[in-house]
Amino acid sequence: MDDNNISYLIVNSLKSHGTPHGQYKGTFTADSFHELIRHLNFKNLDKAPIYFIVNTLTSRSNHSEIGHWLAVSLNYVSSKNMVNLKFFDSFAKNVGYYRPHISKAVKYIRLKCRKLNIRFVFDSLTKPIQAIGSKLCGIYAALFVIKSVLQKKCV
């Protein structure tokens, strides 16, 4: 599944539920995600969580390489002065496994929170939901975003 398929699935699923898709920011390579995070204003996240789909490949990766799709949600809760980061990896690997770009992006968020005196909460899967050799990571990441946005709509 490529980035266009993932975006199409997410946007159209949310539209079919009458939900705006503005919280979903798109699909990114690992290096472009890291760069995007460096320019993010956390306090603008108070209105609603934002969601990203990130591939482990970089913009300079060889086209024959096989990447893995991950999902990330970020939410700043002003009433608790807290940034909540949810890292979704269907293989349930530690974020440090995805060096250097993705783990650096999460580390950057953590450090920025510390500098701004904002509590940082990190959440991730503890058990894999995808079998090794399976190629469904894009579907799992997209479903994480869709389900998360729809659950927030119902709250």
Side-chain angles (χ1 to χ4, degrees):
M1 181 170 246
D2 70 18
D3 56 344
N4 291 325
N5 297 126
I6 291 171
S7 287
Y8 180 84
L9 174 63
I10 292 170
V11 169
N12 284 302
S13 294
L14 294 175
K15 279 184 181 178
S16 73
H17 285 90
T19 303
H21 60 276
Q23 292 173 264
Y24 167 62
K25 300 304 179 189
T27 58
F28 300 90
T29 58
D31 53 337
S32 63
F33 174 68
H34 179 254
E35 192 59 32
L36 175 74
I37 291 300
R38 293 188 55 206
H39 300 292
L40 195 62
N41 181 350
F42 294 171
K43 297 202 176 186
N44 285 345
L45 304 177
D46 195 28
K47 296 174 186 73
I50 57 174
Y51 300 90
F52 308 90
I53 301 290
V54 183
N55 198 285
T56 56
L57 297 177
T58 68
S59 56
R60 292 178 284 296
S61 293
N62 187 315
H63 294 296
S64 63
E65 289 182 70
I66 297 174
H68 176 58
W69 291 109
L70 307 164
V72 175
S73 75
L74 273 173
N75 189 31
Y76 172 70
V77 183
S78 61
S79 63
K80 297 179 181 180
N81 193 36
M82 170 186 85
V83 166
N84 187 358
L85 184 148
K86 291 185 180 178
F87 176 73
F88 177 85
D89 173 20
S90 54
F91 289 138
K93 294 197 184 290
N94 184 296
V95 71
Y97 181 83
Y98 299 106
R99 290 189 177 117
H101 300 290
I102 296 166
S103 63
K104 275 178 139 178
V106 172
K107 184 177 181 179
Y108 177 82
I109 294 167
R110 183 174 290 154
L111 290 173
K112 189 167 183 181
C113 286
R114 188 177 298 148
K115 283 182 184 177
L116 296 171
N117 202 26
I118 298 171
R119 191 167 71 111
F120 176 78
V121 176
F122 180 85
D123 186 25
S124 64
L125 287 179
T126 56
K127 294 181 181 172
I129 60 171
Q130 180 177 344
I132 299 298
S134 162
K135 296 183 181 186
L136 297 175
C137 56
I139 296 283
Y140 285 123
L143 290 175
F144 167 81
V145 171
I146 294 164
K147 184 178 176 186
S148 296
V149 171
L150 292 178
Q151 282 179 336
K152 291 287 183 190
K153 178 184 171 185
C154 295
V155 174

